[in-house]
Amino acid sequence: MDLVPALEEPLKKVLGPATAKVMAEHLGLHTLGDLLHHYPRRYEERGRLTHLADLPMDEHVTVVAQVADARLHTFASSRAPRGKGQRLEVTITDGSGRLQLVFFGAGVHKPHKELLPGTRAMFAGKVSVFNRRLQLAHPAYELLRGEGEEAVETWAGSLIPIYPATAKLESWKIGKALQTVLPSAQEAVDPLPESLREGRGLLPLPEALLKIHRPHTKTDVEDARARLKWDEAFVLQVALARRRHADAQLPAVARRPKPDGLLAAFDDRLPFTLTEGQRKVSAEIFTDLATEHPMHRLLQGEVGSGKTMVALRAMLAVVDAGGQAAMLAPTEVLAQQHHRSVTEMMGELAEGGMLGGAEDATKVVLLTGSMGAAARRHALLDLATGEAGVVIGTHALIEDKVQFHDLGLVVVDEQHRFGVEQRDALRGKGKQPPHLLVMTATPIPRTVAMTVFGDLETSVLDQLPAGRSPIASHVVPAADKPHFLTRAWERVREEVDKGHQAYVVCPRIGDEEDDPKKSGKKSAEDEAEKRPPLAVLDVAEQLARGPLRGLRVEVLHGRMAPDDKDAVMRRFAAGEADVLVATTVIEVGVNVPNATAMVIMDADRFGVSQLHQLRGRVGRGSAPGLCLLVTEMPEASAARQRLNAVASTLDGFELSRIDLEQRREGDVLGQAQSGTRSSLRMLAVIDDEDVIAEAREEAARVVAADPELTGLPALRTALDALLDEEREQYLEKG
């Protein structure tokens, strides 16, 4: 895959230090192998021109076009007072549109000689607007003469590759560098076992690299892409298959519930019957818990589909079998809420060792960072002695001081909020590796990617329990139609008049210093991007003085003291406040069935999955829910399309696909969405599910037959390159 020994030659030895420095700093390319795996983004055909009509503003573009007209103007300026200033204006066309190029001062001489009408060239620069017309100022360009030794050599083949480039390094310079290193593609070691490659009719790797960079036909490109996608999918799947294989060798204590124990007693006191989905998923989990190697299961379910109930039954099964279960929540508010709802659901079964506790009862303790010293000492003692069968907490559970008597199951709520290291630290607290159940309400891109890549066994809860209400969602275009926003506040008042409550969510708290770096966003979509995001403290004050005057408005945000946060949540839950103006601290797990309306301000500043999570806070009771997505983005913008997608479906799986298509999957192996260069250059998780599924089967076969890959040295080399040390650790921690 990435680096194979013959291709580990540093680029500076081959291309010279200056070019190599730019490639390393701006494109993350360091070796010959890196450059060979820097694939073209698209291809231009010699006879067909780019669409100038579709140029994006403020972006660095490469276009192929023909000079229609070139004029040299002289003008007077402070630098050239006697009318000696020169400006060259060149108009280029591609049939779909026209674009102005401008050159000034000494920079006019070369293009004035070279860019004559009728000349074809590639132009690269940043698109800007001048006098309401699109232009490129001082673009770099490369003439496409089509004859002459060098031009023919450089542009051999009828397709011109356009590479992901930067302002410092144009696409054709990358193309020229690739011409230099392309002969070494012959030395690329092929990671695919020969039988697999031939069985699936895939090109050998050297040929695929040659065809991706110097294709003669579109078929060349398709064949090369098919092969390179298989490389990425297969090597990655082998990494995951080896990890699954290693996990299956680990010992774990099998945990089987007693037929008449705690779980049975809990089920007997449930006031409702479990949904078909909950029963099916519980059965899958109980089967895993009864085996002697650790369960690694992902439980995906819509907001409100009853995941907590499934997780609680799994925890009680483990307590029944003599172990302890820990639930890790991402925030104190959520840990406290889980603790409250679990103890309420269990009743006297949660009062182990106390007067009035049931015979099979256990103790359920809460452990968070802000607890008082005495309460904390008690909780730690209950965990160490085994008195407490169930513990619910935040990352405070991970601290060194926390000792378990016999940790059998770790449940992680909202998986994407926890780093792998944190999960790993908790798993390390068991005498043997505990079973692991990971829950998420919205499959976020990396989770979806990992699911498609099949690293965790997956259970899905896709039906809502009886009694959950539908949620209507609408986009409120505040800039285009201000009266819509007025109507939104009227709707909130109407809900409160009916005895219900509402949330108003803002992206910012409002007491932070304005960071000039953060407020100047790059997008030129709209002036709306120029102002800082709306803040809880400002919005709460404006609403209380204006459209929601007379209602009881409270605020909640992450920088409040834990006790204050809890007090606000309790008041809101008890119906003592009408409107809660909050940041995304309410995103997960906050459960107030009487809250029916949510207004999300600056909704375009939130991700798709986050909006879906937030929306899940309303419609939790018998009354229908309403979610209003307020934005100042213009109709045609990508942000508005994203909001329309959220408004059009309540299906979290569908939304996560949309999210993935828009954002790509981050680095599937690296820290989720940290902006690092993805190990996937060719593979798109959503579009290539078939390739991934087939590669998973092939990888499982290969690893089952030869776990150490002793007979496949080239595959081992490719794995070592893919899994540099950091990723190797990451995979092992899972």
Side-chain angles (χ1 to χ4, degrees):
M1 265 271 313
D2 259 5
L3 311 176
V4 281
L7 303 181
E8 280 177 13
E9 188 83 15
L11 284 172
K12 60 171 176 276
K13 286 193 176 169
V14 190
L15 301 175
T19 308
K21 185 167 187 259
V22 177
M23 285 195 170
E25 285 175 7
H26 294 273
L27 295 168
L29 308 175
H30 303 278
T31 64
L32 256 63
D34 287 345
L35 182 53
L36 283 172
H37 287 290
H38 185 71
Y39 307 130
R41 179 176 281 153
R42 58 189 171 84
Y43 300 86
E44 283 304 338
E45 290 176 55
R46 278 193 183 286
R48 204 202 67 205
L49 301 171
T50 354
H51 286 301
L52 292 181
D54 307 333
L55 286 182
M57 272 296 299
D58 268 356
E59 279 197 23
H60 206 82
V61 298
T62 301
V63 297
V64 177
Q66 191 158 353
V67 177
D69 168 59
R71 297 177 185 201
L72 191 62
H73 303 273
T74 54
F75 59 92
S77 70
S78 55
R79 287 189 182 169
R82 288 208 292 278
K84 290 284 174 61
Q86 289 190 311
R87 181 174 78 247
L88 176 66
E89 289 179 4
V90 177
T91 306
I92 59 172
T93 177
D94 68 351
S96 76
R98 295 167 88 80
L99 180 66
Q100 185 102 19
L101 314 177
V102 289
F103 301 89
F104 294 101
V108 304
H109 305 308
K110 185 166 177 273
H112 189 220
K113 282 208 298 276
E114 294 182 337
L115 297 180
L116 305 172
T119 308
R120 294 190 63 232
M122 294 169 86
F123 301 92
K126 194 172 181 186
V127 183
S128 57
V129 172
F130 182 70
N131 279 347
R132 301 176 65 172
R133 287 166 67 192
L134 291 182
Q135 70 167 27
L136 295 180
H138 283 284
Y141 63 87
E142 176 84 359
L143 301 179
L144 297 174
R145 295 192 180 88
E147 64 266 320
E149 195 70 26
E150 191 193 356
V152 172
E153 179 54 37
T154 309
W155 306 113
S158 58
L159 294 173
I160 302 168
I162 306 289
Y163 289 93
T166 72
K168 294 270 194 306
L169 200 64
E170 294 89 6
S171 168
W172 57 82
K173 288 188 180 161
I174 297 171
K176 282 183 171 170
L178 268 151
Q179 296 301 328
T180 310
V181 304
L182 211 47
S184 55
Q186 294 305 326
E187 297 173 50
V189 181
D190 201 325
L192 294 191
E194 204 166 325
S195 56
L196 188 160
R197 187 167 56 73
E198 287 175 356
R200 294 190 172 269
L202 298 168
L203 298 179
L205 183 56
E207 192 182 333
L209 290 170
L210 210 58
K211 284 188 168 169
I212 200 81
H213 293 297
R214 288 183 69 169
H216 290 279
T217 63
K218 287 182 175 169
T219 312
D220 284 353
V221 175
E222 282 162 24
D223 292 348
R225 280 193 168 144
R227 162 61 216 244
L228 295 166
K229 280 179 178 181
W230 253 94
D231 270 22
E232 289 182 4
F234 180 70
V235 176
L236 188 50
Q237 286 300 350
V238 169
L240 295 171
R242 290 184 72 200
R243 179 173 151 202
R244 281 197 303 275
H245 181 81
D247 281 342
Q249 314 305 310
L250 287 175
V253 179
R255 311 277 180 176
R256 294 182 187 84
K258 294 192 289 243
D260 53 354
L262 179 59
L263 177 62
F266 175 75
D267 283 350
D268 287 345
R269 51 170 292 143
L270 280 181
F272 51 82
T273 54
L274 297 174
T275 65
E276 181 56 39
Q278 284 175 318
R279 281 202 292 275
K280 182 175 101 16
V281 168
S282 289
E284 291 171 353
I285 292 171
F286 291 152
T287 304
D288 281 1
L289 290 174
T291 59
E292 294 188 345
H293 58 83
M295 164 173 85
H296 284 135
R297 189 167 281 280
L298 175 67
L299 174 55
Q300 305 193 81
E302 279 303 347
V303 175
S305 57
K307 291 184 302 299
T308 312
M309 172 59 68
V310 169
L312 177 56
R313 292 183 72 238
M315 290 162 80
L316 298 181
V318 168
V319 175
D320 245 355
Q324 290 169 295
M327 181 184 251
L328 200 56
T331 63
E332 296 218 349
V333 169
L334 190 52
Q336 286 161 341
Q337 176 134 355
H338 274 322
H339 183 253
R340 264 203 303 280
S341 61
V342 164
T343 45
E344 278 164 21
M345 283 195 279
M346 287 176 65
E348 72 266 22
L349 294 175
E351 295 169 0
M354 295 183 227
L355 217 55
E359 188 188 342
D360 285 308
T362 185
K363 212 180 231 186
V364 179
V365 302
L366 175 71
L367 190 62
T368 65
S370 62
M371 282 168 74
R376 192 180 167 76
R377 233 186 354 263
H378 263 290
L380 290 173
L381 191 64
D382 286 342
L383 287 181
T385 59
E387 186 86 6
V390 175
V391 58
I392 295 167
T394 55
H395 49 83
L397 281 176
I398 296 164
E399 291 169 13
D400 290 343
K401 291 198 280 291
V402 181
Q403 299 294 326
F404 288 87
H405 177 67
D406 179 13
L407 181 60
L409 171 66
V410 173
V411 178
V412 179
D413 191 18
E414 286 313 323
Q415 174 257 352
H416 60 283
R417 299 296 197 84
F418 282 103
V420 174
E421 286 75 15
Q422 292 171 305
R423 290 215 306 265
D424 191 46
L426 189 54
R427 269 167 61 186
K429 292 190 174 292
K431 295 189 174 67
Q432 286 192 322
H435 299 282
L436 174 70
L437 180 66
V438 167
M439 301 198 295
T440 180
T442 311
I444 54 156
R446 191 180 151 268
T447 317
V448 175
M450 287 305 242
T451 307
V452 176
F453 286 129
D455 143 57
L456 296 160
E457 296 300 322
T458 306
S459 295
V460 179
L461 276 175
D462 47 14
Q463 54 187 143
L464 293 184
R468 288 299 302 257
S469 303
I471 305 170
S473 307
H474 304 283
V475 177
V476 177
D480 315 350
K481 300 179 177 163
H483 59 286
F484 276 36
L485 185 56
T486 311
R487 177 72 190 119
W489 301 126
E490 287 169 8
R491 282 292 289 115
V492 170
R493 290 197 87 98
E494 287 164 17
E495 288 301 310
V496 173
D497 289 345
K498 287 185 208 160
H500 297 307
Q501 292 159 282
Y503 297 103
V504 177
V505 182
C506 305
R508 212 165 53 104
I509 296 174
D511 58 358
E512 57 267 84
E513 297 278 309
D514 272 345
D515 181 345
K517 284 206 287 286
K518 280 187 185 154
S519 56
K521 277 190 128 185
K522 288 196 285 282
S523 166
E525 276 191 313
D526 193 77
E527 273 308 302
E529 286 283 70
K530 301 289 186 285
R531 65 165 174 74
L534 292 171
V536 166
L537 301 176
D538 308 340
V539 168
E541 193 183 332
Q542 288 159 13
L543 291 176
R545 283 209 315 259
L548 302 185
R549 194 168 50 248
L551 301 187
R552 297 167 299 172
V553 176
E554 294 238 20
V555 300
L556 180 70
H557 58 74
R559 276 216 288 279
M560 290 163 64
D563 291 351
D564 296 345
K565 276 193 282 207
D566 201 37
V568 169
M569 268 321 297
R570 278 175 190 273
R571 282 200 296 277
F572 189 66
E576 292 163 23
D578 301 315
V579 179
L580 186 61
V581 183
T583 55
T584 53
V585 291
I586 61 154
E587 179 184 348
V588 284
V590 172
N591 187 22
V592 181
N594 190 43
T596 52
M598 174 175 287
V599 181
I600 302 178
M601 308 302 290
D602 278 345
D604 47 90
R605 313 267 178 146
F606 299 99
V608 169
S609 54
Q610 208 172 20
L611 291 169
H612 182 58
Q613 280 281 21
L614 287 165
R615 170 171 62 185
R617 302 299 113 218
V618 295
R620 298 178 80 84
S622 52
L626 172 70
C627 178
L628 302 173
L629 306 166
V630 180
T631 177
E632 293 188 3
M633 283 293 158
E635 184 103 41
S637 62
R640 269 287 274 283
Q641 288 163 10
R642 210 169 62 229
L643 295 180
N644 291 340
V646 174
S648 68
T649 177
L650 290 172
D651 181 341
F653 288 88
E654 181 54 34
L655 286 173
S656 71
R657 291 179 81 90
I658 292 167
D659 202 7
L660 243 183
E661 278 160 4
Q662 291 184 342
R663 284 173 37 189
R664 292 299 305 265
E665 37 282 328
D667 190 343
V668 175
L669 295 179
Q671 297 305 321
Q673 291 149 20
S674 61
T676 51
R677 200 161 55 106
S678 171
S679 57
L680 304 183
R681 319 272 171 83
M682 197 50 92
L683 204 60
V685 165
I686 287 293
D687 301 336
D688 297 320
E689 279 185 62
D690 298 351
V691 176
I692 291 160
E694 289 170 28
R696 183 182 185 189
E697 285 171 25
E698 294 277 11
R701 267 201 292 279
V702 166
V703 171
D706 180 4
E708 292 304 310
L709 308 179
T710 39
L712 298 165
L715 178 54
R716 275 225 67 123
T717 305
L719 261 189
D720 295 341
L722 177 74
L723 305 177
D724 51 41
E725 216 158 294
E726 175 199 358
R727 287 182 180 157
E728 183 80 82
Q729 286 174 349
Y730 179 88
L731 270 183
E732 278 172 7
K733 289 174 180 173

